[in-house]
Amino acid sequence: MIPRKAGRPGWRWAVLAVAAFAAFAAFGWWMALPAQAQTQAHARATEATDCPPIRQPEKIDLRYKLTFDQHHIDFAEVRQLTSIDIPAGQWPLSNDLTLSTDSPKYRNAMRCLLHEKRATEKFGEWHPEWRNVSEATEQQGVVAVRYESWNLVGNSAGQFEVGPWTVDAEPDKNWKVALHSPEVLRGVSRRTVEIDPGGLEIGDAPGASSANETRRVWTPPGPDTEASIMRPKQLTPLSRRDSLIAYLGVTSWWVFGSALIALSAWPFRKKNGKNDKAAARTLADTALQWAGLSAALALTLALLLQLYPATSRWRAFIGISSGLALVLLAQPWLPLVERSGDGRKVLTRRTVLVTTFAAAAIGLLVILSPQLFGLSSKLMPTAPAPPLAIAGLALLETSMLWLWFTAMAAWAWRFAREGKLGGSSTGDGRNQAGRHLRRVTATGAALAVVAALVVLCHVLSFESRWRRANWLGEADSLFGNDHTGILGRQLAEFPSFGPLWTYTHTSVLTAIALVALLRLSSRARSGAKSLGPKGWDLLLVAAIFAVVLALRVAKFAGSAANLYGLWLPLNMLALYALVKAGRRWSTLGRVDRKAEKCFAANAAKGESRVAAELTTPAGYRRMMGDARRCRDLLHRLHLVDHGHPESAQRRTLENQLSALHHWRPAKCSRDCLPDPVSVVDVALCWGPRRRWWRNALNAARWAAVFGVLPSVVTVWYENAYDPDQWALTLDLPTGIPDVVWRFLTQEISFAGAGLVLGALWRVLPGERGPMRALSLFVAWLVPIGVVAAFSHGIDRKALGLALLNIVLMLMVLTLTSMWMDTDTFSRERPYWTKRLSLLASIYQMHGLSGQVAFLVMQAAAAVTIWRQIATG
């Protein structure tokens, strides 16, 4: 390849980067202009109108009711119902109430009845309500207005609007509830005013005419109603000391994870030589590098930037620079296989560098020269905010997200590349380099789309809040035409939480690094004859078990879960205890001990006798042949017991089964099967593959498949089942991306559990797959129970959701283990129409009925828990 020709595409990539910058700027400008025009048009359509007084206020029937409902651990729901009956002719705007809810006259009339004039306040501290019912009917000369709305009060401070009510939430104080009568209704006598705390405690409620443990009622006459609601315990803001402990607890997760990577990778640095040993040393160095970077980023982002004040400009600079450094250190331009003399390798490196530096330059341009975009030194838009300010902030957020997403993809690619997780490369080296360039290009473009979608979700969440706040024209009356400026201020807040939010997603890299290390380690020890991972391999399996599964139900532990890092050693100790018991009581462990004397003179120290037999092709084929014959004889014996004409052959069948029970490895003169163990049990405990690493991959794939539906169910329930929860999800700047990430983490959790199940398949207690899955499930459940035993005040719904997750994990492990058993006899699949028929043949009738009953019990438990938390 001619170097001059190879260099030409580099210029095209530079031009493409500049074009992308211009496209983003044009998009931001285009997005801002219509929004500003729409706001101005809406302001003209809903311009302030005087609210005429009511002629005879005593004829108005007025009722207010406010209800609290604490059915979620993250917020309390507040609902209000306003009922107003207005006789015809008593108010000039009464006929406007019967118009369409989208008409300006209707909105103006409702604003007169619901809200008083507000003082100017910060939009970020204003939490507008959601409307449920807004209707007015006219019957027998009376206009009846029924208005119902609700809001979600969480840990954030500010003013929460619920119809004519407001709930003021301030740090370290109870909620202050107040009813604000608009000027039009000042002289109207209220029939009833009621506050139902819904299980919360009411403090002061001056003027209440009746009171009991469940509600407060006011009857006329009286001033505007006020009350004090005790803040729920789980929503109590943390003190500075508690906040420090909480941040330290969250940070401990990454610090412990980094320490775990370093501990797991350190022994591989001492390996010298070629091929797999040299590759293990290279991967170990990469893993240690990531461990140091991860710990440093955790301390910087979670502690330094969160606990101590810093400007948005400084936070944005740290986000851009750290993302750029992570990409460059990951070196995503490295090909799958190192080859010399290929110009496309240089082209790939140049492409990555040009694109990465272009993205960083876009973000740094906004940070270092904010005046070019109409921004202040604190990255806030000036008043009036120019459309270019929105474009600049959108570019800053997009470039930061793209750098971080690219860094995560690059490090994942590097771990997979050096750990040989993607297999080996074949074919012409030049073609491989070309495919790698196309792969890098496609990945970068896809990540740019993802980053833009995250920014779009941020903008749409703001627009949703603005529409709620402005449905009666209040936002326009308070903030004028500053819609663009407020949007800019919301976008400018992203550097305060964006880097930390993105960094929390890097936990998956820890799992990928550990899996890559385990892959190379198992490959280096491919000649070792052992039933399962031992030594450092077992440490890696335990680390994967802890990292992937430790935080799955962390909320179950309540306040005890603050020190997340403690979950890692707890889970690892539980798994070590399980393996220790399994090596003694597992089926293959018992067989191995019985065969020990046969190989005492020839076997190496620590070598498994059964593994030495079954890792050879001849020994494996002989064992599987005996297992198939044993199953066939058992089936024929079952037919004999049910009166089949072959009853005369019963003695012959029993003799043949007895001969198969004397199974022994080659060169062994002693029978190796204990009395209750058959050669079928040996085959099922050995698994479908000759290497335990292959068993681990097989189980991980099936667990990921079986985990799709449980992942969808749990994510849907946590974020979208309740309309209120779905509304809150859409209201959050990163609500939709968090839903997607939650699904991916659920899938990773199931796949990780399957990987551990397959790796330890031969040393887990139990003769059938479901019993081995149950033993691993118990090892996962024990740390949860230990931590939860020291927790107090666990929310009922959180407890139900945690139990649902626990049952779903057991179901996925059970299904995975049953499919592993069928894969053990996969060569017989052509002779069976359905996998269930093969499963029945493997388990026989006495075993299949019990396993099916066990699975049905799990499904019934999941449905019962679902109904309890869904209807509770």
Side-chain angles (χ1 to χ4, degrees):
M1 182 177 292
I2 302 176
R4 181 174 55 86
K5 292 184 179 181
R8 289 180 181 177
W11 292 102
R12 290 201 295 268
W13 282 107
V15 173
L16 181 60
V18 175
F21 170 75
F24 275 119
F27 172 75
W29 187 289
W30 173 83
M31 181 180 61
L33 283 178
Q36 187 175 12
Q38 182 181 5
T39 302
Q40 294 174 352
H42 186 68
R44 290 192 298 269
T46 58
E47 58 185 359
T49 304
D50 292 335
C51 298
I54 295 176
R55 294 188 179 93
Q56 294 179 320
E58 66 276 2
K59 294 186 178 182
I60 305 299
D61 190 350
L62 180 60
R63 296 181 179 89
Y64 294 112
K65 183 175 181 180
L66 186 70
T67 305
F68 287 82
D69 188 1
Q70 187 185 359
H71 67 280
H72 199 278
I73 60 176
D74 295 328
F75 53 81
E77 180 184 314
V78 189
R79 288 187 175 273
Q80 71 83 29
L81 176 61
T82 301
S83 302
I84 309 175
D85 294 340
I86 307 174
Q90 298 301 318
W91 191 43
L93 303 183
S94 59
N95 291 331
D96 295 343
L97 296 171
T98 60
L99 300 176
S100 171
T101 57
D102 296 328
S103 64
K105 290 184 178 181
Y106 170 84
R107 294 187 178 187
N108 179 68
M110 289 297 293
R111 181 171 56 84
C112 292
L113 294 177
L114 293 176
H115 298 306
E116 63 179 1
K117 292 182 178 180
R118 297 178 181 271
T120 304
E121 52 190 319
K122 294 181 179 179
F123 186 82
E125 298 178 357
W126 184 14
H127 303 275
E129 64 183 356
W130 284 271
R131 285 186 296 146
N132 245 16
V133 178
S134 175
E135 61 181 11
T137 58
E138 184 175 1
Q139 294 180 354
Q140 299 179 354
V142 177
V143 178
V145 179
R146 299 292 182 269
Y147 179 69
E148 183 179 355
S149 59
W150 55 277
N151 211 329
L152 303 174
V153 185
N155 252 332
S156 57
Q159 187 177 85
F160 296 82
E161 173 190 285
V162 199
W165 300 81
T166 59
V167 179
D168 291 324
E170 299 181 13
D172 303 325
K173 292 183 180 180
N174 293 330
W175 294 338
K176 181 181 178 182
V177 179
L179 172 63
H180 304 279
S181 294
E183 190 67 30
V184 172
L185 300 178
R186 289 291 182 184
V188 175
S189 297
R190 308 166 191 158
R191 170 124 358 142
T192 57
V193 177
E194 180 181 346
I195 296 181
D196 182 359
L200 301 179
E201 297 182 9
I202 295 183
D204 297 331
S209 57
S210 64
N212 54 41
E213 294 181 356
T214 59
R215 65 176 185 168
R216 298 292 188 272
V217 178
W218 288 258
T219 54
D224 282 356
T225 304
E226 292 185 358
S228 176
I229 302 294
M230 305 292 288
R231 184 189 295 268
K233 292 182 180 180
Q234 74 272 14
L235 296 180
T236 302
L238 299 177
S239 63
R240 183 170 180 82
R241 175 179 174 274
D242 294 335
S243 297
L244 179 60
I245 294 177
Y247 278 119
L248 286 174
V250 175
T251 307
S252 68
W253 167 256
W254 288 293
V255 173
F256 273 60
S258 299
L260 194 57
I261 294 177
L263 178 64
S264 303
W266 186 260
F268 298 99
R269 296 187 71 253
K270 301 178 181 180
K271 296 183 179 297
N272 296 312
K274 299 180 180 180
N275 299 331
D276 290 341
K277 293 184 177 180
R281 180 185 178 92
T282 301
L283 177 60
D285 292 339
T286 302
L288 289 172
Q289 186 181 20
W290 169 250
L293 288 172
S294 179
L297 285 173
L299 294 174
T300 301
L301 299 177
L303 291 180
L304 182 61
L305 294 185
Q306 294 299 317
L307 295 181
Y308 296 96
T311 63
S312 297
R313 193 175 182 182
W314 176 245
R315 294 174 186 268
F317 178 78
I318 291 180
I320 292 291
S321 59
S322 56
L324 176 62
L326 287 175
V327 175
L328 297 180
L329 290 174
Q331 302 179 15
W333 54 81
L334 295 178
L336 184 64
V337 177
E338 290 288 350
R339 296 180 184 273
S340 59
D342 192 351
R344 289 187 178 270
K345 177 181 176 181
V346 178
L347 177 59
T348 304
R349 182 175 183 271
R350 184 182 304 168
T351 300
V352 173
L353 290 177
V354 168
T355 308
T356 303
F357 278 111
I362 292 173
L364 292 175
L365 180 64
V366 179
I367 297 172
L368 300 178
S369 301
Q371 66 278 2
L372 296 178
F373 299 89
L375 300 172
S376 66
S377 59
K378 295 183 179 180
L379 298 182
M380 291 294 179
T382 58
L388 189 59
I390 304 299
L393 292 171
L395 284 172
L396 173 60
E397 185 172 342
T398 304
S399 63
M400 184 185 299
L401 287 172
W402 186 85
L403 287 172
W404 275 88
F405 291 164
T406 302
M408 292 176 59
W411 279 99
W413 158 254
R414 185 167 179 182
F415 289 140
R417 170 185 179 271
E418 296 180 358
K420 303 185 185 306
L421 294 179
S424 59
S425 178
T426 58
D428 182 68
R430 187 181 309 171
N431 294 333
Q432 288 294 329
R435 282 197 292 269
H436 181 57
L437 175 59
R438 291 190 293 271
R439 188 186 301 117
V440 169
T441 303
T443 302
L447 293 176
V449 173
V450 172
L453 289 177
V454 173
V455 177
L456 180 62
C457 290
H458 193 176
V459 174
L460 292 179
S461 69
F462 166 79
E463 294 295 339
S464 175
R465 174 179 287 194
W466 181 270
R467 284 193 299 269
R468 297 201 324 268
N470 202 41
W471 84 276
L472 293 180
E474 288 189 296
D476 284 337
S477 62
L478 286 176
F479 303 104
N481 296 331
D482 199 23
H483 173 275
T484 305
I486 298 175
L487 172 60
R489 285 191 284 274
Q490 298 297 304
L491 292 176
E493 293 178 359
F494 180 81
S496 298
F497 68 89
L500 182 59
W501 173 79
T502 313
Y503 176 72
T504 57
H505 300 158
T506 61
S507 57
V508 68
L509 295 178
T510 301
I512 296 176
L514 292 173
V515 172
L517 286 169
L518 180 63
R519 169 71 179 95
L520 275 188
S521 179
S522 65
R523 187 170 177 175
R525 295 183 176 90
S526 60
K529 298 178 176 59
S530 62
L531 294 178
K534 299 173 63 175
W536 289 106
D537 290 348
L538 182 59
L539 173 65
L540 289 168
V541 173
I544 295 171
F545 177 74
V547 168
V548 175
L549 298 178
L551 293 182
R552 181 174 172 82
V553 287
K555 288 186 178 181
F556 179 79
S559 59
N562 284 337
L563 294 177
Y564 291 106
L566 294 180
W567 286 77
L568 296 176
L570 281 176
N571 279 268
M572 293 179 68
L573 288 175
L575 191 68
Y576 268 108
L578 173 66
V579 174
K580 182 70 174 178
R583 292 191 186 279
R584 180 172 180 82
W585 300 108
S586 65
T587 299
L588 293 185
R590 292 154 56 197
V591 174
D592 206 43
R593 286 196 304 274
K594 195 168 183 180
E596 183 175 358
K597 294 183 180 179
C598 294
F599 295 86
N602 301 322
K605 184 179 180 180
E607 183 179 281
S608 168
R609 292 82 188 164
V610 175
E613 168 72 9
L614 299 183
T615 51
T616 61
Y620 179 75
R621 286 194 299 269
R622 186 169 69 89
M623 186 270 296
M624 291 302 299
D626 291 346
R628 283 190 288 272
R629 288 184 56 208
C630 182
R631 285 174 40 231
D632 179 64
L633 292 173
L634 287 172
H635 178 66
R636 293 170 62 186
L637 190 61
H638 175 73
L639 296 178
V640 169
D641 290 338
H642 286 75
H644 196 271
E646 295 183 359
S647 57
Q649 301 180 6
R650 180 180 180 84
R651 177 64 60 185
T652 304
L653 295 175
E654 291 178 347
N655 292 335
Q656 293 178 9
L657 282 173
S658 178
L660 287 177
H661 187 70
H662 298 306
W663 178 83
R664 64 195 63 172
K667 301 180 182 179
C668 182
S669 60
R670 181 185 297 273
D671 298 336
C672 298
L673 297 184
D675 291 337
V677 177
S678 68
V679 68
V680 176
D681 298 328
V682 174
L684 291 176
C685 293
W686 183 254
R689 303 291 186 267
R690 285 200 302 235
R691 306 295 178 188
W692 60 261
W693 168 254
R694 294 295 180 182
N695 278 338
L697 288 183
N698 189 55
R701 295 189 189 101
W702 281 119
V705 171
F706 291 125
V708 171
L709 182 58
S711 298
V712 171
V713 169
T714 53
V715 171
W716 172 68
Y717 178 76
E718 292 178 0
N719 299 276
Y721 171 74
D722 188 348
D724 299 347
Q725 181 65 51
W726 177 241
L728 181 64
T729 299
L730 296 178
D731 190 60
L732 296 175
T734 57
I736 298 300
D738 286 337
V739 171
V740 176
W741 180 249
R742 176 66 173 162
F743 172 79
L744 293 177
T745 53
Q746 292 271 44
E747 276 294 283
I748 293 172
S749 178
F750 286 128
L755 183 75
V756 175
L757 175 66
L760 302 179
W761 186 257
R762 298 165 184 170
V763 296
L764 292 176
E767 295 179 356
R768 296 292 185 266
M771 295 308 298
R772 286 190 284 275
L774 179 62
S775 62
L776 180 64
F777 169 77
V778 171
W780 172 64
L781 195 60
V782 167
I784 299 174
V786 171
V787 177
F790 295 95
S791 303
H792 303 283
I794 301 177
D795 182 78
R796 175 177 174 272
K797 189 169 185 179
L799 177 61
L801 186 59
L803 291 176
L804 178 63
N805 282 322
I806 288 172
V807 174
L808 290 177
M809 173 61 76
L810 178 58
M811 289 186 65
V812 170
L813 289 177
T814 302
L815 288 171
T816 302
S817 64
M818 296 173 72
W819 251 243
M820 284 279 287
D821 283 344
T822 59
D823 283 344
T824 300
F825 293 92
S826 59
R827 292 186 179 181
E828 299 181 27
R829 281 297 307 278
Y831 308 111
W832 300 92
T833 57
K834 296 181 180 179
R835 187 181 286 265
L836 185 61
S837 301
L838 176 60
L839 194 65
S841 172
I842 295 171
Y843 286 172
Q844 302 297 323
M845 294 305 298
H846 67 280
L848 180 62
S849 59
Q851 304 303 340
V852 171
F854 181 49
L855 190 60
V856 170
M857 289 175 56
Q858 298 171 26
V863 172
T864 302
I865 296 173
W866 170 269
R867 294 182 61 183
Q868 289 294 325
I869 62 177
T871 59

